[in-house]
Amino acid sequence: WNDLSVASSCDRFLGMCDLSPYTIGRRGPSVLGSKATTTVLEQFSALVEKYYEAGMLAKRGAQALFDAERDHVFGDDEWVTPEYTTAAFAMVIHAKNRSTARIVAGMAAWDEAIRLASVLEWNGKIETSKISDLREQERKGMYSIFSFARRSLIGLYKGTLKVEATKPAKELGAPAEAVPAAADTELTTA
């Protein structure tokens, strides 16, 4: 990763985010039962998908602004394009769970969005605070996945992981596709 914030998220949080669904998938059915295990893993997947989609949205927004602003510049001598001399962070990932690839793809999207925003900031097209906002959004999204993974894994080991189903979407009168999968159940730890 080129951005230090994304690199820090990867270094600090990715290991637990990979280990937790793997362990819950293997040990959960014997401790929680297969239905509760599936519910926890679906909630985890929903958080991962939310992080990935937010990263892709940030990347598309930054790319659109970058393209629009770059088209207004007449010559390359008027446009500053900073380049990273080395990556801020590089590592080999030996993933245990399939969802890790989606997290890594989300990190790549956030990293690219921040890179494009940095180029725009160097050229005076956006404020520095916009880059800080992107970094904060990425960190909050990644931390929510990490926090859920950590709580779930600790709850599994301590035997305090409780999965309580709320009313299904059909009973609430809403069409099933209108209510996200994570809204059907709630995870609590004691």
Side-chain angles (χ1 to χ4, degrees):
W1 309 121
N2 292 316
D3 184 68
L4 289 173
S5 179
V6 176
S8 175
S9 287
C10 185
D11 188 33
R12 294 177 66 197
F13 303 137
L14 189 62
M16 177 64 73
C17 294
D18 179 50
L19 178 65
S20 181
Y22 170 76
T23 305
I24 291 170
R26 289 191 56 174
R27 310 244 184 230
S30 63
V31 176
L32 302 171
S34 61
K35 187 175 180 178
T37 299
T38 302
T39 300
V40 171
L41 292 175
E42 285 174 354
Q43 290 175 345
F44 181 82
S45 294
L47 286 172
V48 169
E49 192 61 29
K50 182 179 175 183
Y51 175 77
Y52 172 79
E53 290 297 327
M56 291 303 291
L57 182 64
K59 179 182 170 184
R60 284 192 298 269
Q63 185 68 53
L65 184 58
F66 178 84
D67 292 342
E69 292 297 335
R70 181 71 175 102
D71 288 344
H72 291 300
V73 177
F74 294 111
D76 286 336
D77 56 335
E78 298 175 20
W79 188 260
V80 177
T81 306
E83 294 182 14
Y84 296 101
T85 56
T86 60
F89 180 75
M91 73 182 230
V92 176
I93 300 171
H94 299 282
K96 295 173 185 61
N97 191 278
R98 179 176 48 213
S99 64
T100 304
R102 196 70 164 174
I103 295 172
V104 170
M107 286 181 167
W110 282 107
D111 192 56
E112 180 63 10
I114 293 169
R115 184 193 71 79
L116 291 169
S118 295
V119 172
L120 289 166
E121 191 268 332
W122 269 89
N123 288 285
K125 303 300 180 183
I126 64 170
E127 297 176 14
T128 306
S129 64
K130 298 294 184 189
I131 299 170
S132 297
D133 292 344
L134 282 173
R135 287 181 176 135
E136 183 178 338
Q137 290 171 8
E138 184 278 329
R139 180 56 63 106
K140 282 182 180 179
M142 189 62 196
Y143 186 76
S144 69
I145 297 170
F146 168 77
S147 178
F148 182 85
R150 185 190 58 183
R151 283 191 332 255
S152 299
L153 197 57
I154 290 170
L156 180 72
Y157 284 135
K158 287 185 173 183
T160 59
L161 183 64
K162 306 259 189 277
V163 180
E164 299 174 8
T166 57
K167 290 186 178 183
K170 292 177 185 173
E171 290 180 22
L172 295 174
E177 58 273 354
V179 178
D184 290 341
T185 56
E186 182 178 310
L187 172 73
T188 59
T189 57

